[in-house]
Amino acid sequence: MTRIMASNSKSIAQAAEVLKLGGLVGMPTETVYGLAANACDGKAVAKIFEAKGRPSFNPLIVHVNDVDDVLALAEMNAFEHALAQKFWPGPLTMILKRRNDCPLSELVSAGLPTVAVRIPSHKTARQLIAASGVPIAAPSANKSGSLSPTAPAHVAQSLGDAVDFILADGVCSVGLESTVIDCSGNVPVILRPGGITAEDVSEALGMTIGYDFGDHGNDVKSPGQLLKHYAPNIPVRLNAVDLEEGEALLSFGSIKFMGIKGAGAASDLPDDSLRHLSKEGDLYEAAANLFSMLRALDSPKNKAIAVMNIPETGIGVAINDRLRRAARG
Ligand code: TXA
Ligand code: MG
């Protein structure tokens, strides 16, 4: 049976024990809930892949508390130090070269010579990392291919008994997964848009940083790019300007002028068919709400989820990336 405990010093100590014994813990972070295991324990890491149904070619993110801990695992170049200074702790993941004496399980890297590392800012995550005394491997705590969890109940729903212990600490403030960046080339490139925007990174490095979503065929830098992530069970339709009958609406900004074809106004939709990402058009609020609202509308009562247009700027790029994957799935 999974134990779900509110986060406090006692439950954090218990969760750390579970990690030390090779178990799996649902861990809150500022981005999404993670499925945590001791990253140096190959058997524990294997349990993550099994619990998620995750393809073994898709490597995991390792979480530690400070740059010295990172340097015990991997090498960092000048770009990476600059980004660490600016954005850690926080929702940025860097793909780093593993040290020759790297103590992490090979499975964490799925056999690659690199490892994805992040220093989270969430207080409970940091306390759990400190209490366990080991680097923590943690992908999002959901079945592979489904929506990432932004609340403790989502973790229990998605993984059931496969997770030993859930540290419950409310909803995640960012609500989207971390930005993944690769700084191994002459110009760093963002492999997954997320909580830190390309504008943020460009400003920090004094150069224009773009994206590589791996959608150009052969040369995929991040295995996760291959996957149709974040798919609800019902279809998702993007850039909706009106609604078909039976569709639910995920709105952004005002819905005053939005109609249902032949059947009235969107504002009259029943509560279980309508969610507002942000009435004021605030992209950060929309990001924080995205996964939980997609979940709420993902019901057989609705024929599909129609989503209004989200501007492709700032964190809107990350929101649209997740929505396009949801629509493809
Ligand atoms: O916000 C987040 O990043 C959350 C929280 C729990 O920290 N974690 C998360 O992990 O989203 P996950 O496993 O769902 O996504 C990790 C992404 C995948 O797309 C994976 O392919 C990529 O990072 N990745 C991991 N290691 C890599 C590596 N060595 N090289 C390239 N991509 C890597
Ligand atoms: Mg994930």
Side-chain angles (χ1 to χ4, degrees):
M1 263 272 295
T2 308
R3 280 179 292 166
I4 305 184
M5 306 270 280
S7 148
N8 55 44
S9 53
K10 194 173 154 214
S11 59
I12 289 171
Q14 287 173 330
E17 275 315 302
V18 172
L19 291 175
K20 284 190 232 172
L21 293 171
L24 301 185
V25 172
M27 170 179 79
T29 85
E30 68 276 24
T31 57
V32 300
Y33 274 74
L35 182 62
N38 175 356
C40 299
D41 177 345
K43 264 197 199 160
V45 174
K47 280 191 203 165
I48 292 182
F49 283 89
E50 196 190 334
K52 281 181 62 84
R54 185 180 180 101
S56 57
F57 63 78
N58 196 10
L60 306 177
I61 297 175
V62 174
H63 301 69
V64 295
N65 271 350
D66 56 52
V67 170
D68 283 343
D69 296 339
V70 178
L71 291 171
L73 310 174
E75 295 168 14
M76 288 173 70
N77 65 27
F79 287 134
E80 289 152 355
H81 277 288
L83 292 177
Q85 181 113 51
K86 180 81 187 173
F87 298 112
W88 278 349
L92 184 76
T93 295
M94 295 198 240
I95 308 297
L96 305 176
K97 190 169 174 299
R98 283 174 72 113
R99 284 173 63 113
N100 289 334
D101 59 354
C102 177
L104 299 172
S105 147
E106 294 280 346
L107 206 50
V108 160
S109 296
L112 297 171
T114 52
V115 59
V117 185
R118 172 162 112 78
I119 298 183
S121 62
H122 195 284
K123 200 170 152 221
T124 300
R126 298 183 63 78
Q127 288 172 341
L128 179 62
I129 294 166
S132 70
V134 293
I136 290 184
S140 51
N142 53 282
K143 287 273 184 199
S144 188
S146 66
L147 295 167
S148 288
T150 53
H154 303 162
V155 180
Q157 281 159 18
S158 192
L159 296 174
D161 283 348
V163 51
D164 299 302
F165 194 105
I166 299 175
L167 264 181
D169 200 355
V171 300
C172 303
S173 59
V174 176
L176 290 181
E177 301 86 347
S178 61
T179 303
V180 177
I181 192 161
D182 176 359
C183 300
S184 62
N186 290 335
V187 179
V189 57
I190 294 176
L191 305 180
R192 178 175 74 178
I196 305 281
T197 67
E199 291 88 336
D200 295 335
V201 176
S202 301
E203 197 187 308
L205 295 181
M207 62 202 293
T208 305
I209 305 302
Y211 298 98
D212 178 352
F213 293 157
D215 44 10
H216 44 71
N218 38 31
D219 171 32
V220 172
K221 288 210 186 72
S222 182
Q225 294 171 331
L226 293 167
L227 303 170
K228 286 182 186 169
H229 262 112
Y230 320 111
N233 295 306
I234 59 176
V236 173
R237 186 168 69 83
L238 304 181
N239 301 319
V241 290
D242 54 12
L243 290 180
E244 305 285 338
E245 243 189 294
E247 279 184 333
L249 175 62
L250 187 57
S251 79
F252 182 78
S254 170
I255 61 166
K256 212 159 131 194
F257 300 108
M258 190 147 208
I260 308 169
K261 278 183 190 158
S267 50
D268 297 331
L269 282 170
D271 180 57
D272 45 9
S273 301
L274 179 60
R275 286 292 181 283
H276 302 286
L277 284 173
S278 169
K279 287 185 180 172
E280 281 74 44
D282 177 329
L283 286 170
Y284 284 94
E285 183 186 7
N289 284 330
L290 180 67
F291 289 142
S292 62
M293 291 187 172
L294 279 172
R295 261 172 209 276
L297 296 176
D298 185 12
S299 145
K301 271 195 225 150
N302 299 317
K303 267 204 318 221
I305 303 170
V307 189
M308 287 167 72
N309 177 63
I310 313 284
E312 189 81 10
T313 56
I315 199 167
V317 175
I319 298 174
N320 283 320
D321 168 68
R322 306 309 190 270
L323 283 171
R324 278 190 286 268
R325 287 168 186 259
R328 252 194 277 151

